[in-house]
Amino acid sequence: NYLEVGSGKSYQLKTFVNLLKSKLNSESKITFNKNIQTDLYKNQSSIANSKELMDLGWNPKSNLNEIIDLIL
């Protein structure tokens, strides 16, 4: 048995990359392929189901912004 740990929220790769770019004060130009069909990637997102932990009183304490700050 295992328990999933996460916020239960999904983020687009573009959101993550742009947030990281901003925090690094990067002037890099990032190009996303507009030719890829978005439906192709819908099933590739991974969202933790933390319901069992939350039922025990656990709640996530960090959001994506805070986690990136901790890593950097």
Side-chain angles (χ1 to χ4, degrees):
N1 291 348
Y2 64 91
L3 297 173
E4 294 184 19
V5 178
S7 68
K9 294 181 182 177
S10 175
Y11 295 94
Q12 291 182 336
L13 179 60
K14 186 175 184 178
T15 300
F16 173 76
V17 169
N18 285 329
L19 183 57
L20 190 58
K21 178 182 167 187
S22 172
K23 289 185 173 290
L24 293 172
N25 294 317
S26 172
E27 295 182 19
S28 300
K29 181 179 179 188
I30 300 179
T31 304
F32 295 93
N33 188 344
K34 295 179 183 180
N35 295 325
I36 295 176
Q37 297 176 2
T38 56
D39 288 347
L40 180 67
Y41 293 100
K42 279 187 181 177
N43 293 329
Q44 292 186 3
S45 66
S46 177
I47 303 171
N49 180 358
S50 302
K51 182 179 180 338
E52 289 181 57
L53 285 174
M54 290 180 179
D55 288 347
L56 296 171
W58 177 87
N59 285 302
K61 293 182 180 178
S62 303
N63 60 36
L64 181 62
N65 205 13
E66 294 166 332
I67 291 168
I68 290 175
D69 286 342
L70 287 171
I71 293 169
L72 296 176

